[in-house]
Amino acid sequence: MIAFVFPGQGSQKVGMGAELADASAAAREVFEEVDEALKQKLSALMREGPESELTLTANAQPAIMANALAVARVLEAGGVSLAEKGEAVAGHSLGEYSALASVGAFSLTDTAKLLRLRGIAMQDAVPIGEGAMCALLGADLEKAQGLAEAAAQGQVCEVANDNDPGQVVLSGHAEAIDRAIEMAKDHGCKRAIKLPVSAPFHCSLMQPAALRMKTALGETPPQSFRLPVYANVTAAPVTDAASEQGLLVEQITGRVRWRESVIAMEKAGISHFVELGGKVLGPMIRKIAPDVTATSIIGMDDIEALAKNI
C-alpha cells in the first residue's frame, strides 16, 4: 500500500524543476500554468534565482507546489496514476495543498493562487522581527512542550511542527524563541537552532492569516478528491471536502502533526511512502517508521525507476 506525500517550505532551491521542464512537456505545462495564474515568471525564478527571492514565503509556497505537481504530472503522463496506485496522500504544511491538488480537490491554477495568498497572509500577520522559529534536535514532543511553556513567560511560544522522534519546531514571539534556545539543554534537548524564516508559522500569532484564508477558501473551496488526505492538524484521514476546508484554516495556526500522521498511515497499512518533489520527508519518515520504505522522487531518473517498480 502506497501513500504519496508532498514536501513543505524549506525544500525550495534554485534550479528546482529545471531538469523536469527540459525533459518533459507535461512538466513544462505545469510551470506555464502556474506562471499564468500568478502573472509572474515563477518558473524563471525557480530555475535561475536569486535564492533570496525564491525563499520569500509568497514565492516559495507556490514554487514548491509547482515542482511537486510537475513530478506528479510526469508520473501520470507515464502511466502511473496516483489515484490508482495510491491509498492516501499527505503533505507537510503547504504540502497539504499540493496533496489535495494531486487528487483533484483544487485545480492547479487555484492552488497556485491560494498558496500565493497564504504566503502573503502569513508574512503580513506578524511584523518582521517580532516572530521567530527554532528547531529542537534530540527532543521529543513532551520535552518540546515543556520547554515552550517555560520559555513563554507571558508571550507566545508553541510547538509548530512535530516532525519526527528527534526534531520538533517551536514558533512564537522572537524573545520567547530566544529564551527557548537558551533553555533548550536544561530541558533535555540536544541542540536548538534558530530557523531562517521571516514569520512565526503554525502558532496562534498567525490568526490574522487564518482569517484571510477562511475567506479565500470560502470563495475557492476544495472539491471532492479521489484519495483520502491525512490532515496536518488531526493526523487522520479526511474524505469530505467540507471538513477539509475547515482543517486548512485551522492548519495556519495549528501544529503540523507529521510524526503522528506517518504513524497513523503505517497503522492503516501503508508500507511505501513516495515523496514527490523533494528529499525532505523521506528521511523523516524513515526515522518515524523504520519498517516502511520511503522513496524521494525529483528528477526523470527517479520517475523512470519508480514507474518500473510501482
Side-chain angles (χ1 to χ4, degrees), residues 149-181:
E149 290 169 9
Q153 298 181 19
Q155 293 183 308
V156 172
C157 187
E158 298 167 2
V159 174
N161 302 353
D162 180 12
N163 284 334
D164 65 41
Q167 185 195 116
V168 182
V169 175
L170 302 184
S171 182
H173 284 110
E175 297 92 336
I177 294 300
D178 287 341
R179 286 192 293 270
I181 292 170

Side-chain angles (χ1 to χ4, degrees), residues 141 145 159-162 202 232-233 253-257 260:
L141 181 59
Q145 287 177 319
V159 174
N161 302 353
D162 180 12
H202 297 293
N232 282 188
V233 294
T253 56
R255 180 192 310 162
V256 176
R257 296 170 61 182
E260 294 174 83

Side-chain angles (χ1 to χ4, degrees), residues 83-214:
E84 292 177 7
K85 297 292 186 180
E87 297 292 332
V89 293
H92 191 283
S93 190
L94 77 91
E96 191 167 333
Y97 286 79
S98 307
L100 286 161
S102 78
V103 291
F106 294 116
S107 70
L108 180 60
T109 290
D110 285 343
T111 311
K113 289 178 177 178
L114 285 167
L115 286 175
R116 166 56 53 82
L117 175 61
R118 185 177 182 270
I120 292 170
M122 293 172 86
Q123 184 62 69
D124 290 349
V126 180
I128 290 175
E130 289 191 12
M133 300 178 75
C134 70
L136 307 176
L137 306 181
D140 59 17
L141 181 59
E142 185 178 354
K143 288 177 183 176
Q145 287 177 319
L147 173 59
E149 290 169 9
Q153 298 181 19
Q155 293 183 308
V156 172
C157 187
E158 298 167 2
V159 174
N161 302 353
D162 180 12
N163 284 334
D164 65 41
Q167 185 195 116
V168 182
V169 175
L170 302 184
S171 182
H173 284 110
E175 297 92 336
I177 294 300
D178 287 341
R179 286 192 293 270
I181 292 170
E182 290 175 9
M183 300 163 67
K185 288 192 176 178
D186 293 338
H187 282 259
C189 306
K190 187 181 295 183
R191 193 176 171 203
I193 304 168
K194 200 163 190 175
L195 296 178
V197 295
S198 53
F201 307 131
H202 297 293
C203 75
S204 54
L205 293 176
M206 288 285 109
Q207 187 58 33
L211 293 174
R212 290 176 70 177
M213 289 309 295
K214 183 177 182 179

